[in-house]
Amino acid sequence: MYLTKPKLIDIVSKQVRFKLNANAVSFSILVFLQLLALALSFPSMTSIDHELDVSLVEVSVTSHVIFAVLWTFFSGIHLANCTKWNETFTFVTTRFTHHLSNFFYMVIASFIASVMTVLASPTLRLLTYMRYDEIPQSPLTIIEAPMDFFIQFITAFLYLLLFFVIGYVIQSFVQMNGLLGSVYLIAIIFSLFIINGIFGVPLISNLVLAFLQERSLFLFSLKVIGAIAVLFSLSIWMTNRLEVRKS
Amino acid sequence: MTVITCQNVTKSYRSYNVLNDIQFDIKENTLTGIIGRNGVGKTTLMKMIAGYTEVDAGKLEVFSENPFNNLIVSSNTVFIDDTMTFPESMTIQDIFKECKRFFDRWDNQLATRLSTYSGLHPKTKPYILSKGKRSIFHAIIGIASRSPLTIFDEPTNGMDAVVRKDFYRALLKDYIAHPRTILLSSHHIEEIENLLEDVLLIHNQTILFHGSITDLQERFITLMGTEQKLGNYMDSDDVIALQKIDSYVTLTMKNRFTEQEFEVMRENGIHVSNVSANDAYVALTGKSKGGIDDVFN
């Protein structure tokens, strides 16, 4: 009997392609959110001194960042849900190749989201120029400071990938434990606050500050990659025995 | 060559024991019916074979490999049931494209012809199809994938009688042209008995019978006649099923009779007939006493 002898890399690449096709709507949502953020952040001129005729045009990409973070987080939840799990098993897969292809999908999606987020700033500057004939001052232009632009991109990419994986691991946890999953999750988060309250150990804030206060790009990257590796391994471990098409 | 080897396999869901110490082998290129009453573990068994769920104890091998989390088994197996899901954004055409990439033996022409015949428009999204049409779509994937191990778990759910007949015919024609190992479970055993080569009958958490359809049928015999004429046989321990309408009795019995004994029965006005596979299945899995008739008596 002739049997197909698949290569892991072939199956993973086929799955990544399948997931990109299957989640095309998700990318449309990202584009919509970025356009919405653009509309919300559309530069408006504020007059600050009438006598000297000085006006201020403020350009901010905060909405773009917030929307991108929310998109990656909820996309992570969506990607690890039961329906997506069963969809993959309609075709050729194992639990491991499913997770691996999901990871590559998340890398691609985070890359696209971070490019869009980082390009929001020059887009807004261009819009300001078109609207007011003024170019807002910014230390971060790709021509004047390409390295800063690169750092901005890497930081955005790593943060977005981290939020993607956080959403993914939360949904994996819920999927493993069924309805009780959400209860367990709330209990875990609640217990962290209790530890903080009783023992004065601010675990959550320490953890968040460890990322926010990091000034070295190398150390920051290491921390985020480490966190992603831990969370993603946890997700694989939790669902490695999970049933498919559970009735 | 043996495609599936199952040795002392046990599977439970929490405290509920679904399959207990089951053993069987399934040879290459056979069409085997998995039959049994509701909830006996047919789906569980097929899901274990496809690697969708893990065995609790015992040894299960598919293509000489443990099917759980196994890429070789997954690449050579397709599992069709009514809970299959596809991305909502994808059309039938898109899904066929994915099938072509994933299944090495996928016959896209056949899939397209079958879907056209079944009235499935290529631009339709499967989630908007009716239950019957969705089952047809799933069945097309099962047939056209031509996987060395093709598993159909009650594929005709929701299909009307005409479509069911077409499906079985399409499956048989493709199976003859491209032999492979097929497992097929169905509640309509009378519809598939002419299709199957072997039967794997699951009952009370174990394999009650595994063999050819003919062997299954030859295990039993049906005797029909008046109560007076069949009186001697009615109290026998070999009686599997007894149906009585007024004084006319139909007995399904274990076949331990010789040809001479059949001749005597016929001379005495007892009608002797072979049982259908369905009757044999009902006889093996039903109750001789305490059946539905007793509710009305």
Side-chain angles (χ1 to χ4, degrees):
Chain A
M1 177 174 34
Y2 165 70
L3 287 179
T4 305
K5 298 268 164 53
K7 284 182 185 163
L8 182 85
I9 188 83
D10 288 344
I11 298 297
V12 171
S13 64
K14 283 176 186 176
Q15 282 177 16
V16 172
R17 206 170 144 187
F18 163 65
K19 282 163 190 181
L20 287 169
N21 290 338
N23 295 299
V25 176
S26 179
F27 289 98
S28 307
I29 294 170
L30 174 67
V31 172
F32 171 77
L33 287 174
Q34 290 296 315
L35 289 174
L36 183 69
L38 210 59
L40 291 173
S41 328
F42 196 83
S44 59
M45 192 173 278
T46 318
S47 188
I48 55 169
D49 195 326
H50 293 288
E51 287 179 10
L52 294 172
D53 193 22
V54 174
S55 297
L56 184 74
V57 178
E58 198 177 354
V59 172
S60 165
V61 292
T62 312
S63 324
H64 294 82
V65 173
I66 291 171
F67 282 147
V69 166
L70 287 174
W71 179 79
T72 50
F73 179 72
F74 286 107
S75 295
I77 288 178
H78 181 66
L79 196 62
N81 72 18
C82 173
T83 311
K84 292 285 162 198
W85 174 262
N86 290 337
E87 271 173 15
T88 315
F89 279 85
T90 297
F91 304 103
V92 177
T93 192
T94 62
R95 287 151 188 82
F96 179 67
T97 56
H98 166 69
H99 284 300
L100 207 57
S101 58
N102 277 350
F103 180 74
F104 287 121
Y105 171 82
M106 288 192 274
V107 169
I108 293 167
S110 302
F111 179 85
I112 294 168
S114 50
V115 167
M116 289 177 90
T117 310
V118 171
L119 289 180
S121 175
T123 310
L124 282 169
R125 284 158 55 82
L126 181 70
L127 286 172
T128 310
Y129 176 72
M130 288 163 72
R131 176 77 176 81
Y132 303 108
D133 278 341
E134 294 287 348
I135 298 177
Q137 291 300 306
S138 168
L140 292 173
T141 64
I142 197 162
I143 298 159
E144 292 163 5
M147 198 56 200
D148 283 349
F149 201 79
F150 176 72
I151 290 169
Q152 200 183 34
F153 168 74
I154 292 290
T155 312
F157 170 72
L158 288 172
Y159 266 130
L160 291 178
L161 186 58
L162 181 63
F163 277 100
F164 225 131
V165 175
I166 289 171
Y168 191 80
V169 79
I170 287 173
Q171 183 59 33
S172 298
F173 188 81
V174 171
Q175 209 192 333
M176 187 186 74
N177 296 292
L179 284 173
L180 282 175
S182 317
V183 179
Y184 290 152
L185 208 62
I186 292 165
I188 290 169
I189 294 166
F190 192 65
S191 60
L192 290 174
F193 283 106
I194 289 181
I195 290 169
N196 189 7
I198 297 173
F199 303 105
V201 185
L203 286 174
I204 297 174
S205 54
N206 281 355
L207 202 64
V208 173
L209 288 174
F211 291 101
L212 291 180
Q213 291 181 339
E214 184 54 62
R215 292 283 167 257
S216 156
L217 179 68
F218 178 70
L219 287 178
F220 170 77
S221 304
L222 277 185
K223 282 178 183 177
V224 176
I225 290 167
I228 288 169
V230 169
L231 290 170
F232 202 72
S233 305
L234 191 67
S235 193
I236 293 175
W237 174 76
M238 282 192 293
T239 54
N240 200 37
R241 295 269 175 266
L242 201 67
E243 190 174 331
V244 180
R245 298 187 202 165
K246 205 172 178 179
S247 46
Chain B
M1 184 189 162
T2 305
V3 170
I4 303 167
T5 307
C6 188
Q7 290 175 358
N8 310 104
V9 167
T10 297
K11 178 72 183 175
S12 304
Y13 284 104
R14 296 179 189 270
S15 59
Y16 179 61
N17 199 3
V18 184
L19 295 166
N20 190 23
D21 204 27
I22 59 165
Q23 295 199 56
F24 65 88
D25 289 329
I26 288 184
K27 288 182 292 204
E28 185 187 357
N29 299 342
T30 51
L31 210 164
T32 305
I34 311 281
I35 58 173
R37 308 288 287 268
N38 288 327
V40 292
K42 301 188 292 290
T43 301
T44 302
L45 175 63
M46 287 189 276
K47 281 170 94 172
M48 288 194 298
I49 292 168
Y52 284 10
T53 187
E54 205 175 7
V55 299
D56 289 343
K59 186 177 151 191
L60 176 65
E61 285 188 349
V62 178
F63 306 119
S64 309
E65 306 259 351
N66 177 1
F68 193 76
N69 274 340
N70 190 305
L71 207 52
I72 292 176
V73 173
S74 179
S75 297
N76 293 284
T77 304
V78 68
F79 185 99
I80 306 297
D81 68 359
D82 58 0
T83 62
M84 287 175 87
T85 46
F86 300 95
E88 286 194 357
S89 59
M90 283 188 158
T91 62
I92 286 174
Q93 198 175 32
D94 296 334
I95 292 162
F96 283 173
K97 274 182 197 164
E98 295 296 337
C99 288
K100 195 177 175 182
R101 286 199 292 114
F102 278 102
F103 300 119
D104 279 2
R105 296 169 178 80
W106 176 258
D107 187 335
N108 207 49
Q109 281 191 338
L110 177 67
T112 310
R113 284 201 306 269
L114 284 172
S115 58
T116 307
Y117 171 78
S118 308
L120 298 173
H121 194 276
K123 297 281 181 192
T124 309
K125 291 176 179 174
Y127 78 95
I128 62 159
L129 295 172
S130 68
K131 190 179 177 186
K133 288 274 184 186
R134 214 160 42 230
S135 292
I136 295 170
F137 174 60
H138 296 170
I140 290 171
I141 290 177
I143 294 172
S145 68
R146 291 198 180 134
S147 289
L149 176 58
T150 305
I151 303 172
F152 288 104
D153 184 13
E154 291 172 17
T156 56
N157 273 356
M159 291 183 192
D160 62 46
V162 177
V163 175
R164 287 206 298 271
K165 204 174 160 190
D166 277 346
F167 161 69
Y168 293 130
R169 193 165 171 74
L171 181 65
L172 188 61
K173 279 176 89 75
D174 202 62
Y175 170 66
I176 291 166
H178 304 275
R180 55 222 197 240
T181 308
I182 298 177
L183 301 182
L184 172 67
S185 81
S186 173
H187 285 305
H188 302 278
I189 186 171
E190 69 283 359
E191 289 181 359
I192 58 170
E193 62 181 278
N194 295 326
L195 188 79
L196 303 175
E197 290 166 293
D198 283 350
V199 164
L200 187 76
L201 175 57
I202 308 172
H203 191 61
N204 285 341
Q205 301 150 13
T206 54
I207 304 297
L208 202 58
F209 176 83
H210 183 208
S212 71
I213 280 272
T214 324
D215 285 348
L216 176 69
Q217 287 169 295
E218 284 176 356
R219 284 188 165 203
F220 302 96
I221 200 82
T222 300
L223 307 179
M224 285 179 280
T226 58
E227 194 172 353
Q228 194 185 6
K229 286 175 182 170
L230 285 173
N232 292 339
Y233 303 102
M234 282 166 66
D235 294 329
S236 165
D237 289 341
D238 287 348
V239 173
I240 302 287
L242 186 155
Q243 282 181 314
K244 199 160 70 172
I245 299 170
D246 297 327
S247 63
Y248 200 77
V249 176
T250 305
L251 287 181
T252 304
M253 299 183 71
K254 286 180 187 166
N255 187 3
R256 296 186 206 271
F257 300 106
T258 60
E259 268 308 312
Q260 278 182 326
E261 285 172 309
F262 285 137
E263 281 301 317
V264 173
M265 285 181 203
R266 285 185 191 109
E267 281 167 13
N268 289 337
I270 298 170
H271 181 74
V272 180
S273 62
N274 292 325
V275 296
S276 65
N278 190 50
D279 287 341
Y281 155 67
V282 172
L284 273 172
T285 59
K287 300 170 183 174
S288 59
K289 289 176 182 172
I292 193 71
D293 284 351
D294 291 352
V295 176
F296 296 92
N297 293 333

